[in-house]
Structure formats: C-alpha cells, structure tokens
Amino acid sequence: MTENTTNRLDPEYFAKAAVEAFRLLKTSPRLGNFVKNGYRVVYENTKSIDREEGISLDLPFFLQSANINTPFINHEQMACVSESDWIRYPRGRIKPGELLIEVKGKAEKVAVVPKDFPEKTLVTGTCYKLSTHEDWQRSLLIAHLTGRYGSILKDRLKTNLLVAYIAKNDLYRIPVPKLSEQLSEMIHQLVEGSLNTRNEILSKQDAAQAILLSGLGLSDWTPPEPLSYTATASEIFNCGRIDAQYYMPAKKQVRQSLSALPSRPLSEWVDSIRKQWVPARAPGSTLVRNYDVTDALVPRLDSEKEPTTAAEIGSMKKVLNDGDVAISRLRAYLKEVAVVRTGDNIPSVGSSEFIVLRPKSSAISPETLMIFLRSSPVQTILKWCQDGSQHPRFSESDLLEIPVPNVVAELSPEITKIVQEGFAARYLARKLLEAAKRSVEIAIEHGEPASIAYIENIRKGI
C-alpha cells in the first residue's frame, strides 16, 4: 500500500478492517495537518512519588495512563514527581486544552487536559501530547480517534509484540475525515458538552462529601502531625502490629471523633462478600464484565465496561452484584471505591484486591457508603492501616472496624440524590461523546447530510 513507508509485513497492518478504513479515508487530510505543537518526552531516572507525600511537599503532579479514562482525566489520583524533574523536562509539562494520545503500552487511550487542571503537571512518556490550531480540530480528533475508524487506523500502527508502540510519523499519517464547517462545529459542540458535563460529576461528589463532613462535624478537621507519639504495649499486643504508622495520632483522633457520635462498626451495616468466581469452572464462551481496581477510580462500575469471555480471564475473581460497593485494599490513597450499577444480566466480577461490601439494609445506600469510604476521615484511617512498602494494603478487619455514625444513615437520602445526579451527568457526558463518535462514522460511511440529520435528531432527545 502507498502509505506503508515502513515496509510493514505483519498481518495486523493488513487486517481487512484496517485496509477498508484506509480506503475510505485515503484522500483525507492527515492528523499531522491539525497539529500546532507536539511532543513525547523520554524520562530518565524519574520516579513517581506518593501523592500524599508529594502534596505535603508541594511537588508537581505526574499524570500516568492509569489516570486516563478516555477522554477524561482522573486528576484526583495522580502521583507526584520531584521539583528537579519539573525543571529538567519542560516539554513534559501539560496545559489545559492539550490532547494526550497514548502511544506506548496498550496505546489505546485519548484524553483532553481540562480547564481546571493542576498547574504543575508532567505527563507520562507513554503519551504523546499535542495542541491543535483550532479548538474544533481537537474535538474532531477526539471523536475520530475514539471512534471506529480512528481506533482501527491507530491500532494497526502498533509495533513490537511485547510493548506496543506507535511512532510519531505513523501517528501523524493517520487520515482524518475532511468535514464542512457546519458539521465540524456540531461535533465540536457535542465533544465540548461532554467534557463540560463531566465536570459536573466531580462537583456533585464534592457537594455530597461536604454534606457528609458537615453532618459528622469534621468539615474543618485537619490531621495532626506531631513530631513524636507513643503507643502502649497492650495496644501493640492487641493489634499485632509493631510498625509506628499504625498508631498515628491522626488515625486515632478520627476514630475517636466518629465513635463519639452514636455509631456502629461498618461490619454491622454491611456484609463483606467473599464469593469467588473461577473462570475455569465456567464455559469458555460465558460473557462477564471483569473490573480491575483502576476501574474504581471512577466511582461507578457500570455497563460501559465491555464484556469479555471466561476463556480470556486467567485468575479467580470476586463476584460483584448490582448495588455492591467495591473498594480496593491496595494503595488506599488512590480512592478506588465504586458502586456497582450495571443494569443488565451480564455477570460482573472484579479483582481479588477488591473488598466487596453489600449493605444489610436500605438505611445507608451504596452511593452514600461510597462517599463515606472516599471521605477524608475514612481515608486517613485506611492510610495508617496499610502494611507493606511496595504494595501497601489495608486489611478487611481494619476496614470493617471503622465506626459509622448513625447520622450517615440520616443524611443518606440527600447524599444519594446528589450522587445519582452526578451519575446522570456522567451518562449524559458519555452519550454526547458517543454521538460525536457516531456522527463522524456516519459522515465517513454515508456522507455529511446523514451525519447532520443524526446530530439534529440526537439533540431533540437531550
């Protein structure tokens, strides 16, 4: 083929879908025509720093591909890097409005840096960052690269079977449909609407947590940071832990504050579900939704996750039911806590790192429980319950012993309503993005009039 300048011979490059996609777009402009500036930084001897430690030292943030949920960025979980790395790698600094395209690893994620992004952030070397000449061009690239034809054309460019990689020149040669100003603007409005609606999800979570903290009397609480502290021998023998961090005063103070209110331990509000799903015992063609702990960075595990077959899953998983709350016991500071809301009959399973909680009654909704577990008081407790340096984990027993004040149940209806409004905003954001992607596909397959008619019809239903 004429665009095969690297003389590729592998069958992936000549897959039928890829050849057909290129045939439809071979006379179109290339992605490089839209790029104003673009870079990918190769870092040397750079190490990410724990988020909590980095924030306390006012260090720059480090955006990794795990923080991207196409086309959104979960910047609340980003780790940090040293100030020296910030100075050494000016080309790795990202700005609001820039487009990030993963070109290494899975090489499948695309994201836009939002307007309210932390000012000092370096992006991982697995992503290529670029700015476009016009905002509408950025929106078109998002819709195209995350849609059917753009994904196919991008995937065919991956090289190296061990670690996928897309070279800059290959990325720049991806054909992008040439659209009229009218259709381009309509797609731009859909994408911008999706990005702006996404912000509402975060604001709803903040609002729900503010109500919770106010009800707990902990709105202005900050953890104490004494230079020294003590623990009694009886405490150490009872807990079976000799590491100093387990007895941090901040953890003790939070527990006392929660226990001072009428409360019960979490174990009396929920059941911990330990049921395992063994893929070898299921027919290989059985479809399941398999959630990793990183999926819980977003506080809802839903049908957005594409099902996979049992044959593709190689290890035991935790069984998840609709209405469960899954919390990762690994690296508590990432706040990987989510409500399971799939809304269909496809079985759901999750990583063995999940602790699965199922409310005993409707007194506290799954949404309220999720907000409680993500709140700063609970996170303070879990932070100082962790054990291990490379892969810090907290135990199920420590989690279930956390006091849950009765006021949480009293606030549950109000908190649930706010969280569900945020989930509705997330659904709308996805719907707008899917409409943008589909409109590009229709323009490629059936022409612009059909695409414009599709968008106008979608607008009527929103």
Side-chain angles (χ1 to χ4, degrees):
M1 295 177 68
T2 56
E3 87 283 7
N4 188 15
T5 58
T6 53
N7 297 318
R8 294 273 294 271
L9 298 173
D10 51 289
E12 291 81 8
Y13 189 84
F14 292 97
K16 182 178 179 180
V19 172
E20 176 62 17
F22 183 79
R23 184 188 66 79
L24 291 170
L25 292 167
K26 62 182 179 180
T27 60
S28 300
R30 298 302 192 256
L31 186 148
N33 299 134
F34 298 86
V35 177
K36 182 179 180 181
N37 292 298
Y39 303 101
R40 185 180 80 85
V41 178
V42 178
Y43 297 98
E44 296 180 2
N45 302 319
T46 298
K47 182 180 179 181
S48 63
I49 299 170
D50 176 89
R51 177 182 176 85
E52 299 294 330
E53 178 185 352
I55 291 176
S56 68
L57 297 174
D58 195 27
L59 296 179
F61 289 103
F62 187 52
L63 171 61
Q64 302 177 74
S65 58
N67 304 125
I68 296 176
N69 182 32
T70 303
F72 311 112
I73 298 175
N74 302 309
H75 61 75
E76 302 89 347
Q77 287 84 31
M78 292 190 302
C80 296
V81 291
S82 67
E83 191 70 34
S84 60
D85 285 331
W86 173 259
I87 296 171
R88 284 169 60 196
Y89 299 105
R91 286 193 168 186
R93 302 171 186 176
I94 52 179
K95 301 175 183 177
E98 287 186 317
L99 186 62
L100 308 178
I101 303 174
E102 188 181 31
V103 293
K104 196 174 181 181
K106 291 186 177 180
E108 61 186 14
K109 295 183 176 181
V110 180
V112 179
V113 182
K115 297 176 183 177
D116 60 347
F117 207 70
E119 185 176 347
K120 294 179 67 173
T121 303
L122 291 180
V123 66
T124 174
T126 66
C127 286
Y128 195 83
K129 73 182 186 79
L130 60 87
S131 59
T132 56
H133 299 286
E134 303 289 346
D135 288 347
W136 68 264
Q137 294 174 327
R138 179 190 64 206
S139 295
L140 175 59
L141 291 180
I142 294 169
H144 181 49
L145 292 177
T146 59
R148 179 173 180 268
Y149 293 101
S151 296
I152 290 171
L153 291 167
K154 181 162 61 70
D155 287 347
R156 79 183 306 211
L157 301 176
K158 296 177 185 178
T159 58
N160 191 325
L161 295 179
L162 294 178
V163 180
Y165 177 71
I166 301 175
K168 171 187 172 181
N169 290 339
D170 288 337
L171 180 69
Y172 275 27
R173 280 196 292 269
I174 294 177
V176 179
K178 185 177 181 180
L179 305 178
S180 68
E181 182 178 343
Q182 179 188 4
L183 181 54
S184 297
E185 181 58 31
M186 294 174 79
I187 292 171
H188 178 53
Q189 290 176 6
L190 289 172
V191 173
E192 285 293 291
S194 177
L195 296 173
N196 293 334
T197 303
R198 174 70 173 190
N199 294 334
E200 188 178 340
I201 307 169
L202 303 177
S203 65
K204 292 294 183 181
Q205 288 184 57
D206 291 342
Q209 186 167 154
I211 291 171
L212 175 69
L213 294 180
S214 177
L216 296 174
L218 296 173
S219 295
D220 300 320
W221 181 82
T222 55
E225 298 180 358
L227 296 177
S228 63
Y229 52 94
T230 61
T232 65
S234 60
E235 285 180 299
I236 293 173
F237 285 124
N238 287 335
C239 297
R241 293 273 294 266
I242 61 172
D243 50 311
Q245 70 171 18
Y246 194 76
Y247 304 95
M248 281 289 288
K251 170 187 166 185
K252 186 175 183 179
Q253 188 182 102
V254 170
R255 290 185 63 90
Q256 289 175 340
S257 297
L258 295 176
S259 298
L261 299 170
S263 62
R264 290 182 284 157
L266 180 61
S267 60
E268 295 187 19
W269 295 94
V270 303
D271 290 317
S272 180
I273 308 301
R274 302 183 182 91
K275 186 177 180 181
Q276 300 278 350
W277 181 81
V278 183
R281 296 177 184 172
S285 60
T286 301
L287 287 179
V288 295
R289 286 199 171 88
N290 179 24
Y291 298 97
D292 193 11
V293 290
T294 55
D295 291 315
L297 288 169
V298 177
R300 180 181 170 105
L301 303 180
D302 57 22
S303 57
E304 181 184 309
K305 183 78 172 184
E306 289 294 326
T308 187
T309 62
E312 297 176 84
I313 301 175
S315 60
M316 289 194 303
K317 303 293 178 180
K318 290 284 188 74
V319 173
L320 304 174
N321 284 355
D322 199 74
D324 288 344
V325 174
I327 175 171
S328 170
R329 64 193 180 108
L330 179 65
R331 297 188 178 91
Y333 62 87
L334 292 175
K335 298 182 182 180
E336 292 168 330
V337 189
V339 179
V340 181
R341 294 292 189 196
T342 56
D344 57 31
N345 295 321
I346 297 176
S348 297
V349 299
S351 167
S352 58
E353 295 289 358
F354 278 133
I355 297 174
V356 182
L357 305 177
R358 188 169 297 165
K360 292 178 182 287
S361 71
S362 59
I364 295 180
S365 72
E367 288 77 9
T368 301
L369 179 59
M370 177 271 292
I371 292 294
F372 178 72
L373 295 176
R374 281 177 169 249
S375 69
S376 53
V378 173
Q379 287 298 310
T380 298
I381 294 173
L382 296 179
K383 174 181 179 180
W384 301 119
C385 284
Q386 294 180 126
D387 185 24
S389 55
Q390 295 297 319
H391 301 287
R393 294 177 173 87
F394 59 82
S395 69
E396 179 188 73
S397 59
D398 281 323
L399 174 67
L400 295 176
E401 288 173 2
I402 293 175
V404 182
N406 296 342
V407 70
V408 177
E410 296 170 11
L411 295 171
S412 185
E414 184 179 3
I415 291 173
T416 302
K417 180 177 181 295
I418 293 172
V419 173
Q420 289 178 345
E421 288 173 352
F423 287 166
R426 180 171 185 264
Y427 173 77
L428 177 59
R430 283 289 170 188
K431 185 175 181 180
L432 290 170
L433 179 64
E434 289 301 316
K437 292 159 57 175
R438 182 59 188 144
S439 63
V440 173
E441 295 166 7
I442 291 174
I444 294 171
E445 297 167 352
H446 305 292
E448 288 202 11
S451 181
I452 291 172
Y454 167 78
I455 294 176
E456 290 177 340
N457 188 52
I458 287 291
R459 284 174 171 174
K460 294 177 183 177
I462 297 176

